[in-house]
Amino acid sequence: MADRYLSFTATAPGRFLTARLGLPQPAALSRWTAERPALDGHLLHLTAGGPSGLDLAPVLARTGLPTTTETAGAGTGTEAAGAAAGTTGSAGTTRPAAVVLDATGVRDVDALAEVHAALHPVLRSVAPSGRVVVLGAPLDARDHHQAAVQQALEGFVRSLGKEIGRGRTVNLVRLTDASAAESTLRFLLSPKSAYVSGQVIGVGAEAPDGPVDWVLPLIGRTALVTGGARGIGAAVAETLARDGAHVVVLDVPQADEDAHRVAARLGGSALTLDITAADAGERIAAELPDGLDVLIHNAGITRDRRLVNMPAERWSSVLDVNLASVLRTTDALLAKGALRTGGRIVATASIAGLAGNAGQTNYGASKAGVAGLVRSLAPRALAEHGVTVNAVAPGFIETRMTAAVPLFIREAGRRMNSLAQGGLPVDVAETTAWLAHPASGAVNGQVVRVCGQSLLGA
Ligand code: NAI
């Protein structure tokens, strides 16, 4: 299962040989660890399209990265709040580990040139595994010039993500309020987002009320993870527990032992239950009489066959686990008021549902259905229950499911993304933890891919 090619290209002969043969050269990604929780270097804050209405500097300062602020064409930088606030490192001399380009003020094609002017001179110096985050404004329905150039930022970001290399990522955040986007910016400007690239994330205007615990954000909260006994679900359970949650690991009775082992390790509890049971929602509610704060719909199965060869049972079992049970349990738990105000629902889609995949009409349909559910329910769940609803859409993730894929197909799946490697379960888990964060209330109805910017449909 291990990605031996990635280890090989990390050696000098490996680099030489793969370069000569024109083969992909994936860079080992820096991921979050307790010892190295932040990016290694400073943050360059640039602006295009004139002064922005965002009060960004204090939010960037709180990322903990020393910040240098430059206006397009100004040349020299000024050390800003991050350094002034006492963070370490010399912002003027180290390579930027992250660049934030505020392009919210770009309203016409001339101003769009400032995006080029701002990034062109600095990109080469961005550190390996570094971050480029472009900030855009919502499209203005009354100004088609603004809408054109703000939409242009999407094509720009997705193209830059495909060429930047060296484990660096590029994402676009559409926002109107910097503090509402703090949890999102902290996530994207940290090693936690190592496998998230080429994404466009919309953030609303509602800033968190009250203080936020950035170290143990989920302390005192209960999270339920379906399919939590292994793979991505186990990683999600572990990451939510790291963030302070009491985690309930739900899985099928056959996985009872694994579910209990994971729960015991995390100081949580296990609940063995087939999520397709008609009364699954009621049984979860009965198990958690005080309610829950975070509901992670992760359980999923594949039963691949081309449609011409697919018996009805393969169709219905996949639709039942991956979509119908998600709809049923969500409805039941919301109807019972089991999700507390400030709650979070994160469902699991897949790039196969967004781009389509031969042999997966059942799976693709179920996962596209998850995206539809999220987009429709999100505004109502927030208005009526104070609960956000989002989805993660994993690409190729190194799990038992993908280890079972035949060698050549597996190798193609791994490399066909901008980072030229598979993601790890923890990459999906970190993205889930950001969406489950109490400060992420302004992120709602989003489907965020965790796919290293897969070439499939991105
Ligand atoms: P996995 O097969 O390793 O784990 C899935 C877990 O869900 C298992 O523990 C299984 O027992 C549980 N489960 C299955 N049916 C259940 C049911 N009826 N009730 C309760 N639990 C049930 O899968 P993996 O790779 O960890 O995937 C997790 C999620 O991520 C799934 O929804 C999958 O479709 C999705 N995904 C995975 C990708 C990958 O590359 N591994 C890519 C895209 C999406």
Side-chain angles (χ1 to χ4, degrees):
M1 185 163 111
D3 187 348
R4 294 210 183 86
Y5 183 82
L6 179 60
S7 323
F8 178 60
T9 53
T11 64
R15 251 191 315 275
F16 174 77
L17 194 67
T18 49
R20 287 295 293 267
L21 294 173
L23 292 170
Q25 295 199 290
L29 305 180
S30 301
R31 291 186 167 87
W32 185 94
T33 62
E35 295 72 39
R36 295 187 69 184
L39 296 175
D40 192 14
H42 74 280
L43 186 158
L44 192 55
H45 171 191
L46 308 174
T47 306
S52 128
L54 297 176
D55 191 13
L56 204 53
V59 172
L60 294 182
R62 289 198 292 274
T63 61
L65 299 173
T67 304
T68 309
T69 302
E70 284 180 17
T71 41
T76 52
T78 52
E79 288 201 20
T87 46
T88 54
S90 167
T93 53
T94 55
R95 311 179 65 164
V99 178
V100 172
L101 173 66
D102 181 355
T104 51
V106 171
R107 301 194 72 88
D108 56 37
V109 178
D110 286 344
L112 197 56
E114 291 177 29
V115 172
H116 170 269
L119 289 176
H120 170 73
V122 300
L123 271 187
R124 227 186 280 277
S125 68
V126 176
S129 277
R131 305 279 181 267
V132 175
V133 177
V134 177
L135 307 181
L139 306 195
D140 187 340
R142 289 155 305 145
D143 179 350
H144 56 289
H145 289 249
Q146 188 270 5
V149 293
Q150 285 294 325
Q151 182 86 48
L153 293 175
E154 294 190 15
F156 172 78
V157 157
R158 294 205 165 110
S159 300
L160 186 58
K162 288 185 176 176
E163 66 185 37
I164 194 165
R166 307 183 71 193
R168 297 175 290 189
T169 66
V170 188
N171 292 289
L172 174 66
V173 179
R174 291 203 189 283
L175 74 174
T176 53
D177 181 294
S179 4
E182 180 162 347
S183 70
T184 301
L185 293 174
R186 281 182 183 246
F187 169 67
L188 291 176
L189 295 170
S190 82
K192 293 177 176 175
S193 57
Y195 202 61
V196 177
S197 194
Q199 298 308 293
V200 179
I201 298 160
V203 181
E206 204 178 312
D209 51 350
V212 178
D213 182 341
W214 293 103
V215 181
L216 288 173
L218 296 177
I219 199 89
R221 296 181 189 236
T222 300
L224 179 99
V225 184
T226 71
R230 70 174 205 209
I232 294 172
V236 171
E238 183 165 351
T239 304
L240 298 181
R242 175 203 67 189
D243 284 356
H246 173 87
V247 181
V248 182
V249 177
L250 183 152
D251 215 298
V252 288
Q254 302 90 295
D256 185 61
E257 205 176 305
D258 283 346
H260 276 92
R261 194 177 34 78
V262 172
R265 187 159 49 83
L266 306 176
S269 41
L271 175 58
T272 45
L273 165 67
D274 187 328
I275 202 66
T276 61
D279 62 347
E282 285 71 20
R283 286 169 64 187
I284 293 168
E287 189 75 18
L288 298 168
D290 296 333
L292 77 162
D293 304 282
V294 178
L295 171 61
I296 311 294
H297 292 294
N298 162 81
I301 60 167
T302 51
R303 296 285 182 271
D304 298 356
R305 281 282 164 83
R306 287 176 187 269
L307 186 64
V308 287
N309 298 324
M310 187 182 293
E313 184 280 324
R314 284 197 168 230
W315 174 272
S316 57
S317 55
V318 167
L319 267 294
D320 203 17
V321 177
N322 297 3
L323 182 59
S325 77
V326 177
L327 287 160
R328 257 195 316 267
T329 46
T330 301
D331 289 352
L333 291 169
L334 284 177
K336 284 185 166 303
L339 271 147
R340 288 195 274 257
T341 306
R344 306 275 180 259
I345 299 175
V346 183
T348 309
S350 163
I351 58 162
L354 308 178
N357 202 18
Q360 293 199 312
T361 52
N362 50 358
Y363 186 77
S366 70
K367 295 299 191 178
V370 166
L373 145 72
V374 162
R375 293 194 177 113
S376 167
L377 180 62
R380 272 178 294 129
L382 190 60
E384 292 166 23
H385 304 274
V387 170
T388 63
V389 189
N390 293 285
V392 289
F396 184 101
I397 306 294
E398 305 279 358
T399 63
R400 256 202 247 177
M401 187 160 120
T402 48
V405 173
L407 176 70
F408 284 103
I409 301 174
R410 183 167 74 229
E411 199 44 32
R414 262 184 186 145
R415 304 297 156 216
M416 277 170 47
N417 59 72
S418 297
L419 298 171
Q421 59 196 287
L424 301 181
V426 71
D427 297 322
V428 183
E430 294 287 12
T431 308
T432 304
W434 151 59
L435 295 169
H437 200 289
S440 295
V443 185
N444 196 24
Q446 303 296 303
V447 179
V448 181
R449 296 170 197 234
V450 187
C451 66
Q453 198 182 19
S454 170
L455 303 186
L456 290 176

